[in-house]
């Protein structure tokens, strides 16, 4: 990665928040999100309908027996708070179109042998995941900045990536549309910007139309991130910070929000009488190893 081309930008809705701009990526703030769920009603008013339903259920049962879902298993890996990498930031205002995320997706990661054991011959491979109907592409880049294979059961969305202890990785997002998005990302259940427990209401990186954004670490300050590195569970950042939970090790998540167009506004410059209130405390704290 060419660091001289990387900039990080931040945004807000009702307040200032820190955002990053990596190869053209901006960061924004998220309003409170409300989620809802709908259900389908089944009409069984006639014996014919009931019979048809039973036939359909039998067919579905047969399909499940032919292609059972992959076994869920705990990851053998976590993500360590790695070496510092330069990544400057600035502030921009941002507002979500709605409180509902347009896309919510997760990738599990563990060692290759565990993935092969879980998926077996059903394993499908791809190099990215399509978000928002293909408008945004999400991939995981390895040490040499190559896209790591994403495995899944054929026809399913149980995505998994194989990692190796000590290998550095990045999350890459490519915007193929003319829409401005906010990307809220988590690793091991922790927000990559603030190091807090992951929430869709947290601030995220802004992805401008046609731009490519790489998130390569937990943000330490306005000028630096701690690189993502696959590690053993005891070394994982989430296992060594109060906000972490070992049950979330091995999970990468993303929530995608559409943003309203706004004009960028620079944060006020000059001396600050209360510098701690200017945003220096919103970044992820370093781990406290046990």
């Amino acid at each position: 990665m060419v660091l001289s081309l990387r900039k990080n930008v931040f945004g807000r809705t009702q307040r200032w928040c820190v955002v990053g701009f990596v190869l053209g990526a901006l960061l924004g703030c998220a309003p409170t999100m409300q989620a809802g769920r709908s259900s389908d009603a089944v009409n069984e008013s006639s014996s014919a309908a009931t019979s048809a339903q039973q036939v359909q259920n039998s067919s579905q049962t047969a399909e499940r027996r032919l292609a059972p879902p992959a076994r869920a298993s705990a990851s053998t890996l976590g993500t360590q708070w790695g070496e510092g990498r330069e990544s400057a930031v600035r502030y921009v205002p941002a507002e979500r179109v709605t409180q509902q995320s347009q896309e919510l997706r997760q990738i599990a990661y563990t060692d290759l042998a565990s993935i092969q054991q879980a998926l077996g011959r059903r394993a499908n491979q791809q190099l990215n995941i399509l978000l928002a109907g293909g408008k945004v592409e999400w991939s995981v880049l390895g040490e040499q900045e190559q896209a790591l294979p994403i495995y899944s059961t054929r026809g399913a969305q149980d995505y998994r990536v194989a990692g190796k202890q000590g290998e550095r990785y990045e999350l890459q997002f490519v915007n193929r549309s003319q829409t401005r998005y906010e990307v809220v990302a988590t690793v091991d259940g922790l927000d990559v910007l603030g190091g807090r427990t992951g929430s869709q209401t947290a601030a995220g990186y802004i992805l401008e139309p046609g731009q490519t954004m790489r998130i390569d670490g937990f943000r330490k300050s306005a000028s630096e991130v701690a690189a993502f590195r696959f590690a053993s569970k005891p070394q994982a950042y989430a296992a060594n910070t109060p906000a972490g939970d070992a049950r979330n090790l091995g999970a990468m998540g993303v929530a995608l929000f559409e943003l309203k167009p706004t004009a960028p506004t620079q944060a006020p410059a000059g001396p600050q009488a209360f510098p701690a209130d200017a945003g220096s405390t919103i970044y992820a704290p370093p781990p406290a190893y046990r």
Side-chain angles (χ1 to χ4, degrees):
M1 185 188 313
V2 182
L3 294 179
S4 62
L5 296 180
R6 295 167 53 88
K7 294 188 294 182
N8 281 348
V9 186
F10 292 81
R12 67 175 183 183
T13 52
Q14 301 281 329
R15 63 191 185 283
W16 283 111
C17 18
V18 186
V19 188
F21 194 120
V22 181
L23 293 178
L26 306 171
L27 186 92
C29 285
T32 301
M33 172 179 172
Q34 298 178 348
R37 178 177 295 181
S38 61
S39 61
D40 297 328
V42 180
N43 185 355
E44 298 181 348
S45 59
S46 67
S47 59
T50 302
S51 178
Q53 185 66 42
Q54 290 173 345
V55 172
Q56 182 179 3
N57 289 341
S58 297
S59 175
Q60 292 175 346
T61 301
E63 289 178 359
R64 285 195 292 268
R65 287 174 179 170
L66 290 174
R71 291 182 304 157
S73 58
S75 174
T76 61
L77 298 173
T79 294
Q80 188 174 19
W81 173 283
E83 72 280 5
R85 295 179 63 85
E86 182 180 359
S87 180
V89 297
R90 66 183 178 91
Y91 292 87
V92 297
E95 183 178 358
R96 295 176 180 175
V97 173
T98 67
Q99 296 179 343
Q100 179 68 44
S101 62
Q102 188 162 352
E103 190 83 59
L104 187 65
R105 203 65 66 86
Q106 176 174 314
I107 298 178
Y109 68 89
T110 186
D111 64 280
L112 181 58
S114 295
I115 293 177
Q116 292 174 335
Q117 182 178 9
L119 299 182
R121 295 181 179 180
R122 298 188 305 273
N124 183 46
Q125 291 188 42
Q126 58 196 73
L127 295 180
N128 57 41
I129 294 176
L130 301 182
L131 307 177
K135 294 181 178 179
V136 175
E137 299 173 1
W138 178 21
S139 56
V140 181
L141 305 185
E143 191 79 51
Q144 304 303 319
E145 299 189 356
Q146 79 285 8
L148 299 178
I150 300 173
Y151 302 90
S152 65
T153 304
R154 194 169 301 277
Q157 296 183 352
D158 52 347
Y159 301 115
R160 310 181 189 204
V161 165
K164 297 179 181 179
Q165 286 196 33
E167 181 182 30
R168 186 173 64 83
Y169 71 90
E170 303 176 348
L171 308 181
Q172 176 172 279
F173 300 89
V174 181
N175 190 349
R176 301 294 186 187
S177 73
Q178 296 302 309
T179 303
R180 190 171 183 240
Y181 289 105
E182 178 184 4
V183 177
V184 178
T186 65
V187 170
D188 293 346
L190 296 178
D191 180 74
V192 299
L193 173 63
R196 300 178 180 87
T197 303
S199 171
Q200 296 176 56
T201 63
Y205 286 90
I206 296 175
L207 185 61
E208 294 289 352
Q211 292 184 333
T212 296
M213 174 179 69
R214 292 182 184 178
I215 302 175
D216 58 355
F218 294 103
R219 180 155 293 283
K220 299 170 63 176
S221 69
S223 60
E224 185 181 1
V225 296
F228 296 139
R229 283 196 178 273
F230 294 119
S232 64
K233 287 185 174 182
Q235 290 180 300
Y237 176 46
N240 296 279
T241 187
D245 188 330
R247 293 174 295 182
N248 297 323
L249 294 178
M252 307 170 184
V254 60
L256 190 69
F257 297 87
E258 183 176 346
L259 294 176
K260 296 180 180 180
T262 55
T265 303
Q266 297 250 349
Q272 300 293 318
F274 300 93
D277 297 334
S280 61
T281 60
I282 72 172
Y283 303 114
Y289 291 106
R290 292 188 254 278

